[in-house]
Amino acid sequence: MSTRNGVSASVALLAVAMLAAIAVQSVTSLVRESATIDELQFIGRGISHLRVGRELWGPFLIGDHHPPLPFMFSAMPLLLSRGIGYPPSEAEWMRMGVWRFGRHFFFDLNMPRAESILYRCRLVTVVFSLLLGVLVFHFARMLYGTAAGLFALFLQSFSPAVLAHSRYAIDAVCTSFFILLAICAFYEYAHTPSRRSTLFAGLAFGLAQLAKYSALLLVPCFVVLAATVPDGTGRRRGLFGRMAGLAPIFAIGCLVVWAGYDFTTGRLSEIGITERFIGAEGGGWEFPDAARLSQGAFRPGRVPLVPYLRGLWELRRHNGMGHPAYLMGEVSRHGWWYYYFVVFFIKSPIPLLALVALTVMLRGKTARRERTDDWYLLVPLCVTFGLSVLSRQALGLRHIFIVYPLLHVYLSRIVTVRFPGAGCRALFRTGIACLCAWYLYGTVRIWPHYLAYFNECIGGPAHGYRYLVDSNLDWGQDLKGVKGYMAAHQIDHILFEQVGFSALARHYGISYERLSDRLSRARSPEEAHIKGVVMVSATARADLWDPERRLYNWISRHEPVDSIGYSILVYRF
């Protein structure tokens, strides 16, 4: 392990330059894209927590399978903004659930200023992306040295996956920051156990739990690391002693989580009570009246963390229900065990995959202590991919986003490899330089459509819609592009089908008729007399919600003549 107490001016300058690259790429692209499907409910939920507070733990809100911390951070700029429209009474905040409230907040209460609200909230994610970059640099430098820290930050700064999620008001980047912070804090605790490091590890663990329920993966990670990896102190502690050392970390973490829920208490018997409110709405996905129906149903109790546990129950129920997903032409409600492996493979740059192979092959050429420290990265990576096999929610790369900062730190160790001959060293460095140039070129070329990045194994982003949709490619972010395309090509009216917001399409002045409405009025596509320009978003084309997939079966027989941001396909008939 190589550490430094400070960095030189040249190293600091390089690090700042790469952090600036994250900011420039994120900010210049976020203003070009319209609101994504999930952003409105994320921001609506965040401002609800900030304005109403603990009253939200009373009713059942769709979205309870997310802890509140990332949403509250995203909505914080609104507290400093003037002229924001809010519901006139507390009851209105809670009667419609977070999905419907998010649309109400933007489209009914704040439509004239909706874009400025969205941009301000997105900037919070940019800030967290910068903090995540600093943490990646710090952790890699602490493990493998300063050169490794800079290399890890380079991989982080020009990762299309990182940049894709650094521009939206969603939770992936914020969550990954707190999870990586908890891993880094646990590493420091394991090597320098003290009251200070224990407290820091517990606080970081608790904040990670407030960020995402998937941060529970830290529990098996910490247990495995404590049981199997030498702690670096030189002291001999038995298995019981090492396990007992985790108790204060987990206890502090639980206290932090309880504080995040405003020390609310409740009854264990009511954790699963929401089932009857879901059933009253037919078990659909939005349950618009579930929040209203459930008000007053939760009685005071003495058990802490009941709202957190209720969210875990809702997450379990949601996973059991499954969710319609698309993979390589197929649709499944319960996913595929290999889904996230495919997503990672085709949405990661080939140079990154090559670096993974090289790092694994050359692992024996690094110091033994570094190989031991590797496990603080490899165990969370293995647990993340292992749990993805069990998931029935095939919802996109953002759900395993943490693998990228972990990988960037792990791959940075390759700069510590030493070859005995000058020729071998020169050849190795040239190869790494070529991979870095390829990596950089692929990211710069895709600007500003980072979400649509697919590697050359499938033919690049132009073919991505054949493999994945939803938050992997088409999140409704290219409505602005539709309007610009119509103006550039002098198109007045289109047949249009997308999974997104009709209110936003009207706001941009897009004149359209829904393709599905035209098709539903005819007995066959041929009788619908479809002529002119037709635009279909990749997610709409996948036809996830129609068991017969009538739109997909028809449109897939035709090839698009163009695309907008790679997510909206343009056809001419």
Side-chain angles (χ1 to χ4, degrees):
M1 179 180 65
S2 177
T3 60
R4 305 288 187 274
N5 292 324
V7 296
S8 65
S10 58
V11 169
L13 188 61
L14 283 172
V16 169
M18 285 187 278
L19 291 172
I22 295 177
V24 169
Q25 293 174 98
S26 299
V27 173
T28 57
S29 57
L30 71 84
V31 296
R32 291 172 164 264
E33 298 189 340
S34 51
T36 62
I37 293 172
D38 284 350
E39 281 182 293
L40 301 194
Q41 64 102 352
F42 279 19
I43 296 170
R45 186 174 183 215
I47 195 61
S48 299
H49 282 295
L50 293 173
R51 296 278 297 194
V52 181
R54 67 182 298 156
E55 294 299 322
L56 287 178
W57 307 129
F60 171 68
L61 302 172
I62 297 309
D64 278 355
H65 51 280
H66 293 287
L69 193 60
F71 313 108
M72 295 171 70
F73 276 123
S74 292
M76 277 183 179
L78 303 186
L79 296 181
L80 306 175
S81 303
R82 296 181 179 180
I84 305 295
Y86 294 110
S89 64
E90 285 191 0
E92 192 174 343
W93 289 89
M94 295 175 283
R95 68 180 174 82
M96 60 185 74
V98 294
W99 278 95
R100 180 175 285 186
F101 175 75
R103 293 195 292 268
H104 174 62
F105 179 73
F106 273 83
F107 299 143
D108 299 331
L109 300 177
N110 292 287
M111 193 65 213
R113 60 183 73 86
E115 283 200 342
S116 64
I117 290 174
L118 181 67
Y119 296 157
R120 275 174 271 177
C121 295
R122 284 177 171 179
L123 287 176
V124 175
T125 308
V126 177
V127 172
F128 269 102
S129 187
L130 295 175
L131 292 174
L132 182 59
V134 171
L135 186 57
V136 164
F137 170 75
H138 168 73
F139 200 14
R141 181 171 171 268
M142 183 168 59
L143 293 174
Y144 309 124
T146 300
L150 289 173
F151 189 67
L153 183 54
F154 167 79
L155 295 176
Q156 182 79 6
S157 300
F158 296 100
S159 166
V162 170
L163 294 170
H165 296 86
S166 294
R167 303 138 339 117
Y168 302 133
I170 55 171
D171 61 346
V173 174
C174 177
T175 299
S176 295
F177 169 76
F178 285 114
I179 291 177
L180 189 63
L181 181 67
I183 295 170
C184 186
F186 183 76
Y187 173 85
E188 292 191 1
Y189 157 79
H191 285 75
T192 55
S194 65
R195 290 182 180 178
R196 175 186 170 278
S197 62
T198 301
L199 177 62
F200 182 43
L203 290 173
F205 175 78
L207 289 171
Q209 306 312 310
L210 280 174
K212 191 85 169 181
Y213 284 117
S214 60
L216 283 169
L217 66 86
L218 293 173
V219 175
C221 289
F222 288 177
V223 170
V224 170
L225 289 169
T228 60
V229 180
D231 60 14
T233 63
R235 295 183 298 175
R236 292 184 174 275
R237 292 193 299 169
L239 180 62
F240 178 79
R242 284 180 284 175
M243 292 297 104
L246 295 177
I249 294 176
F250 292 150
I252 294 169
C254 288
L255 187 61
V256 171
V257 174
W258 192 20
Y261 282 86
D262 205 11
F263 296 105
T264 304
T265 57
R267 297 168 180 258
L268 285 177
S269 60
E270 294 178 350
I271 289 175
I273 198 174
T274 51
E275 186 70 52
R276 70 178 188 225
F277 306 118
I278 298 168
E281 293 301 310
W285 287 98
E286 292 193 29
F287 331 114
D289 293 323
R292 178 181 58 79
L293 292 171
S294 65
Q295 289 192 45
F298 301 100
R299 296 169 294 170
R302 296 182 178 180
V303 180
L305 296 174
V306 166
Y308 178 83
L309 296 174
R310 195 172 75 203
L312 273 178
W313 177 89
E314 163 63 11
L315 181 65
R316 181 201 62 80
R317 185 201 63 79
H318 193 204
N319 187 63
M321 284 178 61
H323 191 97
Y326 176 89
L327 180 65
M328 296 183 288
E330 296 183 5
V331 169
S332 171
R333 192 181 187 88
H334 300 295
W336 304 262
W337 69 265
Y338 51 85
Y339 174 83
Y340 287 103
F341 292 94
V342 175
V343 172
F344 174 77
F345 180 76
I346 66 178
K347 286 192 69 69
S348 297
I350 292 177
L352 187 77
L353 301 177
L355 284 172
V356 172
L358 276 174
T359 304
V360 172
M361 288 189 297
L362 298 175
R363 187 168 184 263
K365 291 187 175 294
T366 54
R368 182 176 180 180
R369 170 169 262 181
E370 290 178 352
R371 294 200 296 273
T372 300
D373 290 343
D374 288 346
W375 292 110
Y376 288 88
L377 304 167
L378 293 176
V379 169
L381 280 169
C382 292
V383 170
T384 299
F385 277 113
L387 292 177
S388 75
V389 172
L390 304 176
S391 175
R392 305 178 80 178
Q393 301 282 320
L395 293 177
L397 185 67
R398 61 195 172 102
H399 288 273
I400 58 166
F401 181 82
I402 184 60
V403 304
Y404 285 98
L406 288 170
L407 260 184
H408 296 157
V409 175
Y410 175 68
L411 296 179
S412 69
R413 73 193 305 280
I414 202 167
V415 302
T416 67
V417 173
R418 298 291 180 264
F419 289 95
C424 289
R425 286 197 297 271
L427 182 62
F428 177 71
R429 290 171 182 171
T430 302
I432 296 298
C434 290
L435 289 176
C436 289
W438 184 1
Y439 185 83
L440 179 62
Y441 172 72
T443 301
V444 172
R445 184 180 60 174
I446 196 68
W447 179 92
H449 308 297
Y450 299 111
L451 191 66
Y453 180 87
F454 289 84
N455 66 34
E456 293 84 349
C457 288
I458 65 161
H463 297 275
Y465 71 93
R466 302 179 188 274
Y467 293 82
L468 297 168
V469 296
D470 202 6
S471 62
N472 291 305
L473 169 62
D474 169 33
W475 223 350
Q477 76 275 10
D478 282 316
L479 269 179
K480 280 187 176 182
V482 171
K483 181 61 178 176
Y485 188 93
M486 292 174 67
H489 293 80
Q490 298 181 335
I491 301 171
D492 298 323
H493 186 81
I494 58 173
L495 279 172
F496 188 37
E497 192 68 31
Q498 73 141 4
V499 178
F501 308 112
S502 57
L504 207 53
R506 292 193 298 269
H507 173 69
Y508 291 131
I510 298 172
S511 175
Y512 73 97
E513 178 188 354
R514 287 194 63 182
L515 176 62
S516 56
D517 291 343
R518 176 76 69 87
L519 291 173
S520 66
R521 292 194 295 266
R523 287 177 295 181
S524 68
E526 290 73 21
E527 289 188 8
H529 302 295
I530 294 172
K531 295 181 180 180
V533 177
V534 176
M535 296 187 187
V536 181
S537 73
T539 304
R541 176 187 179 274
D543 229 358
L544 302 178
W545 301 95
D546 180 2
E548 298 180 15
R549 302 188 72 195
R550 288 164 290 191
L551 175 61
Y552 175 81
N553 291 332
W554 171 69
I555 200 70
S556 62
R557 297 199 299 266
H558 305 276
E559 288 296 319
V561 297
D562 205 349
S563 70
I564 300 167
Y566 305 105
S567 75
I568 296 179
L569 309 175
V570 181
Y571 300 83
R572 289 184 181 271
F573 294 90

